[in-house]
Amino acid sequence: MSERSPLYDDPALARAYARVSAANVYNAAYERPAMHEVLGDVHGLDVLDAGCAAGEHSAWLVAAGACVVALDASAAMVGLASERLGAAARVLEADLAQPLALPDAAFDVVLCSLTLHYLEDWHPPLREFRRVLRLGGRLVVSVHHPFVTLGMVGDYHAVQRVDDAFSNYAEEPIPVRYYHRSLERIVADLRAGGFAISALHEPRLQADADVRDAELAARLRTQPWFLIVEAEAAAR
Ligand SMILES: C[S@@+](CC[C@H](N)C(=O)[O-])C[C@H]1O[C@@H](n2cnc3c(N)ncnc32)[C@H](O)[C@@H]1O
């Protein structure tokens, strides 16, 4: 199991994460709409939501007609996602650092939203994503933009741990640990995992971001925060 934050594992904090991320700028007015635009029409597709948290993306996928399997390493998040999705999706507790108990070539799309940056080594999860995807299937990943984490590490080119603390989820900031990796490293790891990159996206804010948090919206309107990578499962 990779190193974890109480933000995702503590049941009360996991509930706070679910409540806040349902409506905040970062997720609701920025990352999720951008990911959904990149995903496009998912009707009838088999989709794995890897790092599903409380199931926001999965709920959208189900409503859009996808057949969804969702997974997360946090038992608290799996509980929240199961409660939310009911029988509409299969929800599993699974660590992306370990082999996944899922069959080969079972999915058309793997969505991995704001989760891979919690793993120091991307090779095991990327190999697993390639294994469970059908040839030509799509991987859509969002992570912290390396130009943002650059300000938090000493060496842009190295994979480096960032010890951060997130506010807005409790009275005190909650410690969160994740990993910076350079753009070159992101591309190299995806290629080594068996993917052909089709596009890099640097999302723009939704118009309603100002209503949610005008100060944050003003900042995110002119600088990157998350990076979305769209890739295709290549022939092996
Ligand atoms: C920032 S949340 C993103 C969640 C979700 N995609 C969303 O947009 O709401 C990160 C999630 O990744 C999960 N996670 C972190 N490390 C993981 C791992 N090694 N395997 C599976 N899930 C992991 C956490 O439990 C948490 O639910």
Side-chain angles (χ1 to χ4, degrees):
M1 166 83 66
S2 43
E3 292 173 88
R4 316 250 329 141
S5 167
L7 179 58
Y8 306 124
D9 288 330
D10 174 272
L13 288 174
R15 271 197 303 279
Y17 174 83
R19 189 183 64 252
V20 171
S21 65
N24 65 358
V25 168
Y26 288 115
N27 301 84
Y30 187 46
E31 194 261 359
R32 280 200 303 273
M35 290 289 269
H36 298 168
E37 197 179 327
V38 171
L39 286 165
D41 183 7
V42 292
H43 190 269
L45 300 184
D46 292 309
V47 182
L48 174 64
D49 180 3
C52 63
E56 283 288 337
H57 278 299
S58 284
W60 179 86
L61 290 164
V62 165
C67 180
V68 178
V69 176
L71 68 82
D72 201 283
S74 154
M77 290 300 190
V78 166
L80 292 172
S82 305
E83 230 169 74
R84 171 159 195 184
L85 299 164
R90 187 177 157 216
V91 185
L92 312 169
E93 187 177 329
D95 183 353
L96 287 171
Q98 305 296 327
L100 300 175
L102 293 167
D104 294 355
F107 296 95
D108 302 298
V109 177
V110 172
L111 160 71
C112 189
S113 145
L114 303 179
T115 296
L116 267 190
H117 49 226
Y118 291 104
L119 286 93
E120 183 174 13
D121 184 0
W122 284 16
H123 295 101
L126 289 173
R127 269 198 305 270
E128 282 298 86
F129 292 162
R130 174 64 194 86
R131 181 183 68 75
V132 302
L133 273 169
R134 298 178 179 128
L135 181 62
R138 283 202 303 151
L139 172 63
V140 180
V141 171
S142 62
V143 288
H144 290 134
H145 198 296
F147 297 172
V148 173
T149 48
L150 165 63
M152 304 167 172
V153 294
D155 178 359
Y156 173 77
H157 300 288
V159 176
Q160 283 198 281
R161 196 176 89 191
V162 178
D163 287 299
D164 198 354
F166 289 175
S167 308
N168 302 332
Y169 299 103
E171 279 180 20
E172 296 295 319
I174 308 298
V176 181
R177 174 171 297 169
Y178 48 85
Y179 291 88
H180 159 88
R181 54 196 348 101
S182 69
L183 206 47
E184 182 179 86
R185 186 80 260 148
I186 289 172
V187 170
D189 283 0
L190 276 145
R191 286 169 60 89
F195 290 94
I197 294 181
S198 20
L200 297 182
H201 303 273
E202 294 175 315
R204 304 296 197 278
L205 285 182
Q206 296 291 294
D208 68 352
D210 284 302
V211 184
R212 297 172 194 263
D213 183 336
E215 199 181 319
L216 180 60
R219 188 146 55 89
L220 295 187
R221 188 150 286 120
T222 55
Q223 66 183 53
W225 199 264
F226 298 133
L227 174 72
I228 298 177
V229 187
E230 197 183 349
E232 201 171 289
R236 285 183 281 192

